[in-house]
Amino acid sequence: YVEHLSVGEPITEVLTITGDGTYEENVPVDGKMAIVARQCHVELALRWVKGYDTKLISFVNTIPTTDGGTHVAGLERAMTFALNDKLAFDEAKKLKKCKDDARATREDIQEGLVAVLKVTVPEPQFRGQTKRELGTPKVQSITYDVVKSGINDWIATGKKSHVNAVRD
C-alpha cells in the first residue's frame, strides 16, 4: 500500500515494523467489573520520498481512522524521539555537545513521509459515533514502544545513506 501511495522519488526503501503488546482493562464481566488482559498488534509500513507532503493513513481492525487517535499519537511520538535521538547523537559527535535547537520537530520528521499504520485490538474505544478516531489510551504506549524499537533497529542496521537522506 505504501508503494502505491508513494508519489515522487523514494529516499528510503519501504520499512515494515510489527510488534505486539498487552494491556489491562477494567470491563464488566457477568455483571461485575473485572480486569481483562488485552492483546494489541501493531503493523506499520513507511518510507520517505522527496517532497514536503506527508501521507499518513491509519486503521484500527481494518476500520479507517481518518482523524487518527492514540495509535497515531504513539507513532508520531516514537518517530520524533527515535530520529531526534539519532540526530542529536550525530550532532553531539560533531560539536562535542548537543544543542537544543538542533532537534527536529514532528513536522520536520514527517516531511515526505508515506506511512500506513494498522493496529488490531479487541473492543477498541473510539471517540465519537463515526469511529474516525481511536480513543483507547493504552494503545498509544504500545504503538510508541513498537515503533521506537523498529526505528532504532532500522537506524542501527539499515543503510546509513537512508538515515542520512531523512536527516538532510
Side-chain angles (χ1 to χ4, degrees):
Y1 195 24
V2 168
E3 187 76 44
H4 172 73
L5 294 171
S6 296
V7 176
E9 183 182 341
I11 294 174
T12 65
E13 77 276 3
V14 175
L15 169 65
T16 57
I17 298 171
T18 61
D20 297 294
T22 58
Y23 64 96
E24 293 181 341
E25 268 188 323
N26 201 9
V27 297
V29 176
D30 296 328
K32 296 178 185 174
M33 296 304 282
I35 295 176
V36 177
R38 303 279 193 202
Q39 183 77 18
C40 176
H41 181 69
V42 178
E43 297 176 72
L44 172 66
L46 61 94
R47 83 160 3 143
W48 281 269
V49 297
K50 286 191 176 183
Y52 299 101
D53 293 334
T54 302
K55 185 80 169 172
L56 173 58
I57 298 175
S58 62
F59 299 89
V60 174
N61 301 350
T62 69
I63 299 168
T65 50
T66 54
D67 292 341
T70 55
H71 58 318
V72 173
L75 162 72
E76 291 174 340
R77 282 186 48 237
M79 288 182 62
T80 302
F81 182 85
L83 290 171
N84 263 316
D85 196 36
K86 170 64 176 158
L87 297 174
F89 178 73
D90 286 350
E91 190 68 23
K93 283 192 332 192
K94 289 180 194 172
L95 302 175
K96 304 293 186 219
K97 62 180 182 172
C98 182
K99 296 186 196 174
D100 286 338
D101 61 351
R103 306 213 33 99
T105 65
R106 177 179 60 90
E107 291 79 14
D108 294 334
I109 288 172
Q110 289 186 14
E111 193 172 282
L113 176 69
V114 179
V116 177
L117 172 65
K118 177 187 167 202
V119 295
T120 306
V121 59
E123 299 183 36
Q125 301 166 14
F126 291 97
R127 295 184 183 128
Q129 293 293 324
T130 59
K131 296 185 179 182
R132 295 169 44 147
E133 183 178 7
L134 180 64
T136 307
K138 303 279 181 157
V139 172
Q140 179 173 346
S141 60
I142 292 170
T143 304
Y144 175 86
D145 291 340
V146 168
V147 173
K148 183 178 160 215
S149 175
I151 294 286
N152 284 336
D153 289 348
W154 176 68
I155 289 169
T157 61
K159 296 179 184 177
K160 297 301 179 206
S161 61
H162 287 172
V163 176
N164 291 335
V166 170
R167 180 183 64 209
D168 296 338

